[in-house]
Amino acid sequence: MADDDIRTREFVTPATSSSPVAEAVADGIAPSIRTDGLVPDVPASDGDVPSAALAADAPVTAPPRRGFREMLPRRSGKLVVGLVLTIGIVLFAVIAPFVTQDPWNYDNPVFEPPSAAHLLGTNNLGADLFAQLAEGAAGSLTVGLVAGAIAVVLSLFFGIVAGYVGGWTDEGLSLVTNVMLVIPGLPLVIVIASYMESRSMWIIAVVLGLTSWAGSAIVLRSQAKSLRSRDYVAASRVAGEKPLRIITVEILPNLLPLLAAQFLFAVVLAILAEAGLSYLGLGPSGAITWGTMLNQASQHNAFTIGAWWWFVPPGLMIALFGCGLSLINFSIDEIINPKLRTAPAAVKSVRQARKAQVRGEGAHPAPAQDAPVDGDDTGGNALEKERVNA
């Protein structure tokens, strides 16, 4: 009978060592409420911690972003500032030409400083510089958008096609990309522009787009080669999908954040390159851009006579627009590189931990090491006292 009781107890209540989950320790802290012998641990009905307190202490996390929202940049200070600068300048380029006077009107007084009649003054011929600034915004943005679109299309073809197809196609397209990469872009544009008798904005934009796609193509090629080995791409190939559909449906959507960042970067480079060409006298002829305004201001000695209203506004617009696009590009980089997304929170937590540590040390100062012990005049610690007594 005693043996039956022992068997019953072993069957109903197993030994504690036979339940490794009950002995589990999470993050070095053992569970405070335990029910020995049961797997897993079950909190007691009359536990010390109520469920409401557990729910209040649980961290509140935002629901994960899915679908198209996952490819959008997170809202941050730099994204807001970048959008305000970019959208503001774009609206200025679209609306301002309709509310200002003709930028080719020379009936105004020459070198007039900014006033209520002319917000940015006039130039050496009497043209209103605010009207020319609005017209130049439209011209510079046109050059930047066209050149950026051409650069992205060429980088898509030479990058994604070469990375996905592979073989001799990859070798041939990579050869063209490497040749264009080692050719210096700005000197080539200067040579091409110097041999053109008539340079329109469209020709300048096409030339800038044809000479600024190689770097983006190399990045897209490496990304396409990485995506080519994914399971869903292999499943599409096994299912008999055509390569064009696999590229456009399976690979291209995963590269949209990278393409957006490269497009913004290409637009900024095109606007800066056009301004540099125009400042050298090789910009578009018969058109007004921010670069041509700087060129005219330099030719007519606006720097020496103190006509700051001629060269400061176009230079400031170039800087602000480039700053806005760069801030948006930084926000898009957080989607491409998850480490950039978590870095600010990690730095903030480290700073808060250091502040809490400093605050705790200030509230609980360490005891003085040189305080006298038991009336001893040596003022040392215990070891010092023993040495003196010896």
Side-chain angles (χ1 to χ4, degrees), residues 239-282:
E241 299 290 345
K242 295 182 179 180
L244 180 60
R245 187 183 184 280
I246 295 177
I247 291 175
T248 56
V249 176
E250 303 294 343
I251 295 179
L252 191 58
N254 294 283
L255 298 176
L256 286 180
L258 184 59
L259 289 175
Q262 291 181 348
F263 174 73
L264 296 179
F265 186 68
V267 170
V268 173
L269 286 183
I271 292 177
L272 293 176
E274 184 275 328
L277 288 175
S278 298
Y279 187 78
L280 296 176
L282 299 174

Side-chain angles (χ1 to χ4, degrees), residues 295-320:
N295 178 38
Q296 293 175 1
S298 177
Q299 288 182 353
H300 296 88
N301 299 324
F303 302 95
T304 58
I305 64 178
W308 59 266
W309 56 87
W310 195 350
F311 57 86
V312 170
L316 185 61
M317 293 291 281
I318 294 174
L320 290 178

Side-chain angles (χ1 to χ4, degrees), residues 110-352:
V110 298
F111 286 118
E112 184 179 353
S115 61
H118 306 283
L119 297 180
L120 293 179
T122 59
N123 60 6
N124 64 317
L125 298 177
D128 186 80
L129 290 178
F130 184 76
Q132 289 199 350
L133 186 68
E135 186 72 17
S140 295
L141 293 185
T142 301
V143 172
L145 292 176
V146 173
I150 294 175
V152 168
V153 170
L154 290 177
S155 63
L156 276 174
F157 176 75
F158 284 90
I160 296 182
V161 174
Y164 174 75
V165 177
W168 289 103
T169 304
D170 185 15
E171 295 293 335
L173 295 179
S174 298
L175 177 62
V176 178
T177 303
N178 293 331
V179 170
M180 293 299 299
L181 187 64
V182 298
I183 295 178
L186 186 59
L188 178 62
V189 173
I190 292 175
V191 172
I192 295 175
S194 62
Y195 279 95
M196 293 181 180
E197 297 180 358
S198 177
R199 300 180 299 272
S200 64
M201 287 193 305
W202 301 102
I203 294 178
I204 296 296
V206 170
V207 172
L208 291 175
L210 292 176
T211 55
S212 60
W213 57 268
S216 301
I218 291 179
V219 177
L220 290 176
R221 175 177 174 268
S222 62
Q223 293 294 325
K225 293 183 70 174
S226 175
L227 293 174
R228 183 180 60 181
S229 59
R230 302 293 175 88
D231 294 338
Y232 57 89
V233 177
S236 300
R237 287 200 299 265
V238 171
E241 299 290 345
K242 295 182 179 180
L244 180 60
R245 187 183 184 280
I246 295 177
I247 291 175
T248 56
V249 176
E250 303 294 343
I251 295 179
L252 191 58
N254 294 283
L255 298 176
L256 286 180
L258 184 59
L259 289 175
Q262 291 181 348
F263 174 73
L264 296 179
F265 186 68
V267 170
V268 173
L269 286 183
I271 292 177
L272 293 176
E274 184 275 328
L277 288 175
S278 298
Y279 187 78
L280 296 176
L282 299 174
S285 56
I288 298 177
T289 62
W290 291 332
T292 57
M293 291 182 65
L294 293 174
N295 178 38
Q296 293 175 1
S298 177
Q299 288 182 353
H300 296 88
N301 299 324
F303 302 95
T304 58
I305 64 178
W308 59 266
W309 56 87
W310 195 350
F311 57 86
V312 170
L316 185 61
M317 293 291 281
I318 294 174
L320 290 178
F321 191 72
C323 178
L325 291 182
S326 298
L327 290 175
I328 298 175
N329 198 2
F330 293 156
S331 301
I332 296 176
D333 285 342
E334 295 180 358
I335 304 175
I336 304 172
N337 189 357
K339 293 182 180 179
L340 298 178
R341 192 185 316 161
T342 57
V347 173
K348 185 177 180 180
S349 63
V350 171
R351 290 177 179 175
Q352 290 178 350

Side-chain angles (χ1 to χ4, degrees), residues 45-111:
S45 59
D46 54 348
D48 298 334
V49 182
S51 58
L54 292 175
D57 295 338
V60 180
T61 58
R65 296 159 53 120
R66 301 181 182 277
F68 182 72
R69 291 184 57 194
E70 189 178 358
M71 294 183 291
L72 296 177
R74 273 66 176 172
R75 185 175 61 182
S76 60
K78 56 179 174 290
L79 177 62
V80 173
V81 174
L83 288 176
V84 169
L85 291 176
T86 304
I87 295 176
I89 294 176
V90 171
L91 291 178
F92 173 75
V94 174
I95 299 175
F98 296 99
V99 297
T100 58
Q101 61 176 271
D102 185 8
W104 306 99
N105 181 21
Y106 304 122
D107 296 334
N108 304 308
V110 298
F111 286 118

